[in-house]
């Protein structure tokens, strides 16, 4: 049969990476990630897979980030029993990340069900539990970079360094299909090649089709060298301390947290006037650091750049919730790193509720913020945000540093693709929001590439020189829905605006009149029974 590739995630958005490749050799998944962002998008995590999990013959995992690996325990729970191919670094990071994801789901579902019970709303079940993690980890089979292996008769696979995260890979697949077969390359998430602690991204040449991530396909970024980056961080520390502190940093726990801490420690050593205590308030980041200490050897620099994290007197690990709560008593200058990086879950939300209204607080954001996330709203300059049903005034200074991104920019993506030449068929663009996809497609087409931007659940038949649509998107989401705020976001924004308007009115009569007008537009409640 002609190979068919279906995009079940990371289509028109940057999360939920999951592709199904169907060939004469079997049915294979490339990634099985969790959707993040607006609630309508995250709701897909709870729905059945759009394929039979037990029919999948193997999974090929690009890297450990939850938007690429986070639904693997759900896949196993649904009946999958085949191998999960990944690098050793990816496997070890998944051990801590999947356990953490399961614990978060169990905790959040418990809290949600308590709220739902009070509101007479049906309860929900977690996507998976901690009991599903160990059976998943037992299916991992580790691979080495640049060493081809036969994943199935007629399917040769090679992992290449992607430079995005410890263990992150681009995956080359040679599918026997008569003659020379079809050679596919899945970029995974690509680093810029200029990150100081990761190897440069690499890959094969002369492929037929490339699936290319597009996170920063619409922008140019400057990746400064390490000294310049640390100088920029030092300036943010100086301004934050001058504002009265503390400095709160929403942090991606795996990769970003470790990199930031290395830079914070270096800046504080070089500039004692900026020195302060650093609190890593993320059990996941603490456990992941141990993986970086074991697996962080960089073949480009012939060392493990994370080794200094083993003994850092200024760095304090907060594992228990009560240790996190103890930060409320601090008044001196200090830095807090807490997950999640997009402010959508984890301990960062508690710190934001506690500190965001205070003008002496600085919030420093250092990573990509997807549409509909709290982090995106902070960057957009919202004066009031809503956290767990509570309106919070944004009095803090909101700052950002773009030099820590783990993704290549538009020029980096084009250059990486150019090094894979010639590309006989199509470049299929995924893992990007619509604006980024369109901008990168235009740039690539100007350079002579043929591009496609799949919709969610859209399928393509792959010949050696062409990719032809064979199934449209399923309609699980409306076109463009994955990358824009949904009605949940609209409701939160409306409630914030309503409360601000009511407070600004001159008297109760005006407030009552406004509420009556709004109530008049609501449908009458249905009678019980």
């Amino acid at each position: 049969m002609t190979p068919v590739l279906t995009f079940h995630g990371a289509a028109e958005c940057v999360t939920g990476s999951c592709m199904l490749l169907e060939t004469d050799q079997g049915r294979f998944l490339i990634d099985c990630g969790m959707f993040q962002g607006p609630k309508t998008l995250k709701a897909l995590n709870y729905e059945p897979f759009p394929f039979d999990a037990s029919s999948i013959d193997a999974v090929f995992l690009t890297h450990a980030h939850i938007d690429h690996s986070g639904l693997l325990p759900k896949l196993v729970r649904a009946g999958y029993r085949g191998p999960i191919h990944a690098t050793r670094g990816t496997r070890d990071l998944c051990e801590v990340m999947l356990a953490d994801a399961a614990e978060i789901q169990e905790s959040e579902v418990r809290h949600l069900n308590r709220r739902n019970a009070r509101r007479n709303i049906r309860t929900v079940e977690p996507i998976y539990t901690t009991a599903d993690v160990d059976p998943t980890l037992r299916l991992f089979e580790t691979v080495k970079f640049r060493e081809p292996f036969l994943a199935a008769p007629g399917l040769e696979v090679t992992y290449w360094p992607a430079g995005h995260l410890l263990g992150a890979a681009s995956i080359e697949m040679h599918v026997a299909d008569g003659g020379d077969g079809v050679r596919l390359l899945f970029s995974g998430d690509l680093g810029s090649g200029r990150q100081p602690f990761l190897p440069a991204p690499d890959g094969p040449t002369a492929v037929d089709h490339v699936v290319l991530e597009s996170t920063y396909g619409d922008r140019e970024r400057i990746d400064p060298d390490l000294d310049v980056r640390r100088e920029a961080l030092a300036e943010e520390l100086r301004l934050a301390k001058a504002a009265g502190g503390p400095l709160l940093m929403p942090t991606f726990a795996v990769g970003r947290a470790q990199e930031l801490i290395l830079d914070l420690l270096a800046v504080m050593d070089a500039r004692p006037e900026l020195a302060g205590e650093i609190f890593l308030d993320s059990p996941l980041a603490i456990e992941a650091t141990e993986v970086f200490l074991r697996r962080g050897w960089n073949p480009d620099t012939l060392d493990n750049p994370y080794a200094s994290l083993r003994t850092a007197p200024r760095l304090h690990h907060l594992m228990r919730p009560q240790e996190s709560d103890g930060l409320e008593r601090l008044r001196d200058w200090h830095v807090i790193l807490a997950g999640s990086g997009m402010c959508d879950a984890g301990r960062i939300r508690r710190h934001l509720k506690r500190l965001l209204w205070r003008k002496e607080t600085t919030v420093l954001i250092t990573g990509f913020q997807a549409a509909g996330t709290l982090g995106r709203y902070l960057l957009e300059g919202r004066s009031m945000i809503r956290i767990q049903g509570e309106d919070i005034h944004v009095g803090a200074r909101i700052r950002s540093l773009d030099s820590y991104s783990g993704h290549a920019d538009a020029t980096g993506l084009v250059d990486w693709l150019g090094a894979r030449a010639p590309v006989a068929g199509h470049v299929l663009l995924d893992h990007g929001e619509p604006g980024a996809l369109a901008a990168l497609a235009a740039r690539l087409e100007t350079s002579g590439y043929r591009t496609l931007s799949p919709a969610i659940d859209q399928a393509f038949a792959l010949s050696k020189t062409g990719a032809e649509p064979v199934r449209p998107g399923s309609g699980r989401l409306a076109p463009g829905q994955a990358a824009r705020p949904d009605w949940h976001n609209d409701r939160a924004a409306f409630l914030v605006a309503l409360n601000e308007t009511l407070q600004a009115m001159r008297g109760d009569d005006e407030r009552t009149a406004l509420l009556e007008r709004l109530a008049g537009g609501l449908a009458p409640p249905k009678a019980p029974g």
Side-chain angles (χ1 to χ4, degrees), residues 13 55 57 82 124 133 191 193 201 234 252 308 311 347 349 368 373 451 457 483 522 524:
C13 64
S55 73
D57 295 290
V124 299
V133 175
F252 296 99
S308 61
T311 54
R347 295 183 181 181
R349 294 171 75 83
F368 183 84
T373 61
T451 71
D457 300 323
L522 300 177

Side-chain angles (χ1 to χ4, degrees), residues 65-369:
H65 279 149
I66 288 297
D67 63 317
H68 292 256
S69 71
L71 291 187
L72 285 171
K74 176 184 174 182
L75 188 74
V76 173
R77 191 175 192 175
Y80 177 69
R81 297 296 181 267
I84 300 171
H85 298 285
T87 64
R88 172 61 68 177
T90 293
R91 188 267 173 214
D92 287 0
L93 287 175
C94 280
E95 183 172 1
V96 296
M97 294 184 75
L98 295 178
D100 179 77
E103 290 172 1
I104 288 174
Q105 288 169 56
E106 291 177 335
S107 173
E108 290 188 344
V109 165
R110 281 196 301 271
H111 291 299
L112 175 62
N113 284 340
R114 281 199 291 269
R115 293 197 303 271
N116 285 353
R118 291 193 293 266
R119 294 180 292 181
N120 196 30
I121 299 175
R122 67 179 179 86
T123 60
V124 299
E125 295 291 330
I127 303 167
Y128 53 85
T129 70
T130 52
D132 299 305
V133 175
D134 280 346
T136 303
L137 294 172
R138 287 196 290 270
L139 298 179
F140 273 76
E141 296 185 6
T142 58
V143 303
K144 294 182 179 180
F145 287 123
R146 300 187 176 89
E147 293 191 7
F149 64 97
L150 200 63
L155 178 64
E156 184 180 82
V157 178
T158 308
Y159 276 53
W160 297 85
H164 170 70
L165 174 71
L166 177 67
S170 301
I171 301 176
E172 176 190 5
M173 292 184 171
H174 186 194
V175 182
D177 185 33
D180 294 333
V182 178
R183 193 176 296 274
L184 311 176
L185 179 60
F186 300 85
S187 73
D189 287 358
L190 293 170
S192 67
R194 296 182 293 276
Q195 286 113 316
F197 307 130
L198 292 168
D202 197 3
T205 59
V207 296
D208 298 322
H209 301 285
V210 178
V211 177
L212 180 62
E213 72 114 326
S214 313
T215 309
Y216 284 133
D218 60 346
R219 68 194 79 175
E220 303 291 343
R221 296 176 46 257
I222 298 174
D223 282 328
D225 64 33
L226 189 57
D227 290 339
V228 174
R229 187 175 83 176
R230 288 175 172 172
E231 185 66 28
L233 180 62
E235 178 64 9
E236 294 296 339
L237 289 176
R238 186 188 69 78
L239 293 172
K241 186 176 182 182
L247 174 61
L248 181 59
M249 303 178 73
T251 308
F252 296 99
V254 179
R256 188 67 43 76
Q258 292 73 26
E259 199 170 352
L260 283 167
I261 292 169
L262 286 173
D263 281 6
L264 286 167
L265 292 170
V267 167
M268 291 180 178
D269 285 345
R271 302 193 178 192
E273 73 277 10
L274 299 179
E277 303 305 300
I278 303 169
F279 298 92
L280 181 57
D281 191 15
S282 168
L284 173 59
I286 295 166
E287 293 179 0
T289 298
E290 291 300 317
V291 179
F292 280 82
L293 290 170
R294 292 198 311 270
R295 304 290 180 191
W297 180 263
N298 186 337
D300 290 355
T301 58
L302 299 179
D303 69 353
N304 184 339
Y306 306 98
S308 61
L309 296 179
R310 196 177 296 281
T311 54
R314 295 191 185 281
L315 177 61
H316 307 278
H317 291 167
L318 307 184
M319 286 291 291
R320 296 178 298 168
Q322 52 267 44
E323 293 174 320
S324 177
D325 294 340
L327 295 178
E328 296 183 16
R329 297 189 293 272
L330 292 180
R331 293 295 177 265
D332 296 332
W333 161 244
H334 60 281
V335 178
I336 302 171
L337 296 91
S340 66
M342 296 186 194
C343 307
D344 261 11
R347 295 183 181 181
I348 190 64
R349 294 171 75 83
R350 183 163 66 242
H351 291 304
L352 288 170
K353 289 178 71 172
R354 178 172 65 89
L355 296 170
L356 195 56
W357 61 274
R358 292 168 50 182
K359 67 180 185 304
E360 65 269 25
T361 300
T362 299
V363 178
L364 179 59
I365 294 176
T366 60
F368 183 84
Q369 305 297 304

Side-chain angles (χ1 to χ4, degrees), residues 369-447:
Q369 305 297 304
T373 61
L374 177 56
R376 174 74 74 91
Y377 289 146
L378 291 175
L379 284 182
E380 289 173 348
R382 299 284 180 99
S383 61
M384 188 81 72
I385 53 91
R386 196 169 180 84
I387 301 177
Q388 296 171 336
E390 184 176 346
D391 294 344
I392 309 293
H393 169 66
V394 182
R397 300 168 61 252
I398 309 300
R399 303 284 296 173
S400 66
L401 270 180
D402 197 27
S403 53
Y404 285 91
S405 175
H407 291 270
D409 64 6
T411 295
L413 293 169
V414 173
D415 289 347
W416 179 87
L417 182 63
R420 315 280 75 83
V423 178
H426 280 83
V427 179
L428 297 103
L429 301 177
D430 74 339
H431 207 285
E433 295 179 355
L437 293 166
L440 185 57
R443 182 184 291 228
L444 292 176
E445 287 167 5
T446 299
S447 300

